[in-house]
Amino acid sequence: MPQKLAPAISDWTQLIEQQRWQELSAVLEDTHVSDIAERITALTPKERAIVFRLVERERASEVFGYLPYGEQRELIHSLSDEEVKRVLDEMRPDDRTRFFGEMPAEVTRKLIEELSPEELKESRELLGYPADSVGRYMTPHYVFISPEMTASQAIEHIRKVGSRSETLNVIYILDTNGKLLEDIRLGSLVLADPQSKVTDIADPALVSLHAMDDRERALKLFEKYDRVALPVTDADGNMLGIVTVDDMLDVAQSEATEDIQKLGGSEALDAPYTQVGLWDMIRKRGGWLSALFLGEMLTATAMSFFETEIAKAVVLALFVPLIISSGGNSGSQAASLIIRALALHELKLRDWFKVCYRELISGLALGFMLGVIGFFRIVLWQHLHLTNYGQHYLLLAFTVWASLIGVVMFGTLAGSMLPFIMRRFGFDPAASSAPFVATLVDVTGLCIYFSVALLILHGTLL
């Protein structure tokens, strides 16, 4: 039966209030599991438990898998032990493993006890892998065939054993010892001569993952080879399970979220914003803020170094925010562009010189453009008598113009090169966040500004 889009959440609430359970069950039967999961998050905890209990048994574990971690945790507490056991038993092994990994250790131990012996064995094996490894994302439910089979024999075998497989898009050829020899797409198998051996059927070269590989490497291979599933092996090449593309979409979202949070100048959060405790939030943000604050203290030091010049020409202080913010903004732009380009593999470490050249030219052009705006702003304000900059206002305008060129050029250069430096020493380029670049450029920008002022205004204002 084709599944429809879920009706408005108010309709569900009305059916619950009127206790029209059969109608609600019929609605749920015609609604896709992902839509059910999305809609029940808007219900109250009591209504959520009612709706979840009305979902067909075969689909309940799928709905649970689509729920955010916080909703899963809350729903578990509203279900009976028997209902929890049923949901966990029928969840996909990879989804269940990640759910256990998010729960506190004592809760995980209690929930694991509810599993059947077979699911318990699977969960313990998967939980034994590091949190960010491929092993945590794989499922042992896949279909394999032997190299001696013909295409027709393989298809008949798939019909018999394929019902519990995570995906049937790719079939794996294993020897008698469980070693992975090759994989073959189901389409190639169906279109082949029924009497041809499976090892003789032409198909793309085998690509596999190791269980201890980092999940980022898995994501890169999925992107590079455009696969819907990849096999996972141990160090000896023995097949352990498969990782599917839907899990990699979750990884891609998680990695992007982590990079964006680092770009904002904080540690990456380990859970959704609303699920992070207040103290953890303060700790993750406070460390970077403290480091940036200490860096900004250098700005005060730089200001005190030019205290004499500021005392002679107080008007110079009026343009300090303008100068340093322009440098910080240009640096943040460059850092964000380069970090993203590195993440997408559009740039390699060897491209640093090309990037350096491009950013110097860009910085020169952008600085010149901002400098012209600053120059005419000073001249215009002087002639409109909005502000009196004194008889040497043209020299002051040239000072701002020249300073903006130097500061913006330095900002773009620093913002573009810091990610390369971080990557070269094995750190995450996202850690060279925009606030960090801005702090560096603030200090340097002051030095450039007052040095240019000393050069141009010497003998007049200074």
Side-chain angles (χ1 to χ4, degrees):
M1 181 184 295
Q3 294 176 336
K4 308 170 185 177
L5 292 176
I9 195 66
S10 58
D11 297 338
W12 288 18
T13 302
Q14 186 178 10
L15 292 175
I16 293 170
E17 289 175 349
Q18 298 173 1
Q19 299 186 5
R20 293 154 61 185
W21 310 129
Q22 289 185 340
E23 292 182 46
L24 183 55
S25 295
V27 169
L28 293 172
E29 185 178 349
D30 292 339
T31 305
H32 193 277
V33 289
S34 62
D35 290 324
I36 296 175
E38 181 181 357
R39 296 301 177 90
I40 68 175
T41 57
L43 298 172
T44 65
K46 182 179 179 181
E47 291 173 336
R48 199 177 300 150
I50 292 172
V51 170
F52 188 77
R53 288 186 173 99
L54 291 174
V55 177
E56 292 178 343
R57 177 171 180 167
E58 294 76 14
R59 304 174 72 211
S61 60
E62 292 184 68
V63 173
F64 189 83
Y66 277 108
L67 289 172
Y69 159 67
E71 306 294 339
Q72 289 179 333
R73 184 174 182 176
E74 190 173 282
L75 186 58
I76 280 290
H77 292 308
S78 64
L79 300 177
S80 66
D81 290 345
E82 183 59 33
E83 288 171 327
V84 170
K85 182 179 185 303
R86 174 168 56 84
V87 170
L88 294 178
D89 274 343
E90 294 178 2
M91 281 183 74
R92 300 190 314 185
D94 49 343
D95 289 340
R96 184 173 57 235
T97 301
R98 286 195 297 282
F99 170 65
F100 285 154
E102 297 286 355
M103 298 291 283
E106 63 275 10
V107 177
T108 298
R109 283 194 294 269
K110 181 179 178 182
L111 292 176
I112 282 180
E113 293 174 359
E114 302 291 336
L115 297 176
S116 64
E118 180 184 354
E119 305 297 342
L120 175 62
K121 182 175 181 293
E122 286 181 353
S123 294
R124 282 178 172 168
E125 288 176 353
L126 297 182
L127 285 169
Y129 293 103
D132 290 334
S133 68
V134 168
R136 280 290 185 97
Y137 290 83
M138 72 178 181
T139 174
H141 296 166
Y142 59 91
V143 174
F144 66 91
I145 55 180
S146 65
E148 294 80 18
M149 286 183 176
T150 62
S152 61
Q153 290 172 334
I155 292 173
E156 185 61 30
H157 175 73
I158 294 168
R159 288 196 183 100
K160 292 178 180 178
V161 302
S163 59
R164 286 202 66 198
S165 175
E166 180 87 5
T167 177
L168 292 176
N169 295 74
V170 184
I171 311 301
Y172 303 94
I173 304 175
L174 310 184
D175 65 14
T176 53
N177 296 318
K179 188 170 185 177
L180 177 63
L181 302 177
E182 198 175 337
D183 62 4
I184 184 170
R185 302 187 186 195
L186 182 60
S188 301
L189 198 59
V190 171
L191 296 175
D193 185 333
Q195 300 307 315
S196 61
K197 291 187 64 175
V198 292
T199 52
D200 295 333
I201 299 173
D203 215 48
L206 175 66
V207 180
S208 64
L209 294 164
H210 188 276
M212 299 301 290
D213 283 343
D214 187 86
R215 65 181 190 174
E216 288 189 33
R217 180 174 185 272
L219 183 59
K220 291 175 184 176
L221 290 183
F222 270 90
E223 292 172 344
K224 181 177 181 180
Y225 295 105
D226 194 24
R227 295 299 184 93
V228 296
L230 282 176
V232 182
T233 66
D234 61 16
D236 298 322
N238 298 313
M239 185 86 170
L240 298 176
I242 62 172
V243 175
T244 53
V245 69
D246 58 320
D247 296 318
M248 288 299 102
L249 291 175
D250 294 337
V251 170
Q253 183 185 49
S254 176
E255 292 293 330
T257 300
E258 182 178 314
D259 287 346
I260 290 170
Q261 289 168 347
K262 288 180 178 179
L263 276 171
S266 71
E267 290 183 39
L269 303 181
D270 300 324
Y273 178 86
T274 55
Q275 306 296 328
V276 178
L278 181 59
W279 171 245
D280 284 338
M281 181 73 72
I282 294 171
R283 179 177 57 82
K284 288 181 176 294
R285 295 167 65 177
W288 268 103
L289 278 177
S290 299
L292 293 172
F293 180 75
L294 291 173
E296 289 289 359
M297 290 175 67
L298 295 175
T299 305
T301 304
M303 291 281 286
S304 64
F305 184 78
F306 293 101
E307 186 177 356
T308 304
E309 287 73 17
I310 295 174
K312 290 180 181 179
V314 178
V315 69
L316 289 174
L318 297 177
F319 298 98
V320 167
L322 174 72
I323 300 295
I324 63 175
S325 64
S326 298
N329 291 338
S330 64
S332 298
Q333 277 187 342
S336 299
L337 292 173
I338 301 304
I339 288 169
R340 190 56 182 162
L342 287 170
L344 295 176
H345 310 292
E346 297 170 352
L347 291 174
K348 307 293 183 184
L349 280 178
R350 63 175 178 269
D351 297 322
W352 72 269
F353 185 77
K354 183 196 301 183
V355 171
C356 180
Y357 175 76
R358 285 171 58 92
E359 289 302 318
L360 278 175
I361 301 300
S362 297
L364 177 62
L366 293 169
F368 185 88
M369 179 184 69
L370 296 180
V372 169
I373 295 172
F375 180 91
F376 282 107
R377 190 269 188 196
I378 295 173
V379 173
L380 184 62
W381 256 240
Q382 181 72 23
H383 284 281
L384 293 177
H385 306 292
L386 296 175
T387 305
N388 182 17
Y389 294 115
Q391 61 177 328
H392 302 294
Y393 71 93
L394 283 177
L395 289 178
L396 179 64
F398 274 114
T399 298
V400 171
W401 174 70
S403 297
L404 280 168
I405 292 177
V407 171
V408 172
M409 283 183 66
F410 179 81
T412 56
L413 184 62
S416 61
M417 290 296 102
L418 269 174
F420 282 103
I421 295 171
M422 298 289 284
R423 174 64 65 83
R424 177 64 181 83
F425 288 99
F427 296 105
D428 186 351
S432 59
S433 58
F436 181 74
V437 173
T439 301
L440 174 64
V441 176
D442 284 353
V443 179
T444 310
L446 281 174
C447 296
I448 294 174
Y449 176 44
F450 285 111
S451 297
V452 171
L454 280 171
L455 183 64
I456 296 178
L457 300 176
H458 182 70
T460 55
L461 290 178
L462 299 179

